[in-house]
């Protein structure tokens, strides 16, 4: 993801990584997760455990 990117300091890199993690958990629909985002899949599994 960040190959070839230049960051001026550690804070910039940390912020970029945190943004990517947030995006990955909430945006991409994944085939292996039955067409859900990782967050939706996890929430669905947790709902089944509590009922």
């Amino acid at each position: 993801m960040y190959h070839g990117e230049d960051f001026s300091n550690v804070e910039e890199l940390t912020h970029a990584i945190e943004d990517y993690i947030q995006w990955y958990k909430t945006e991409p629909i994944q085939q292996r997760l039955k067409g859900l985002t990782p967050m939706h899949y996890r929430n669905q599994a947790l709902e089944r455990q509590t009922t």
Side-chain angles (χ1 to χ4, degrees):
M1 170 80 186
Y2 300 110
H3 179 72
E5 296 289 325
D6 290 324
F7 296 96
S8 357
N9 55 44
V10 174
E11 289 81 22
E12 272 188 32
L13 175 61
T14 302
H15 185 58
I17 291 171
E18 289 171 351
D19 285 349
Y20 177 76
I21 290 170
Q22 184 63 29
W23 172 83
Y24 184 83
K25 288 179 5 183
T26 59
E27 295 297 321
I29 294 174
Q30 300 196 5
Q31 192 78 1
R32 66 188 170 104
L33 300 179
K34 302 177 185 173
L36 300 171
T37 65
M39 188 175 290
H40 286 119
Y41 186 81
R42 189 193 88 223
N43 289 342
Q44 191 179 63
L46 291 174
E47 285 176 7
R48 280 189 243 134
Q49 289 180 355
T50 61
T51 58

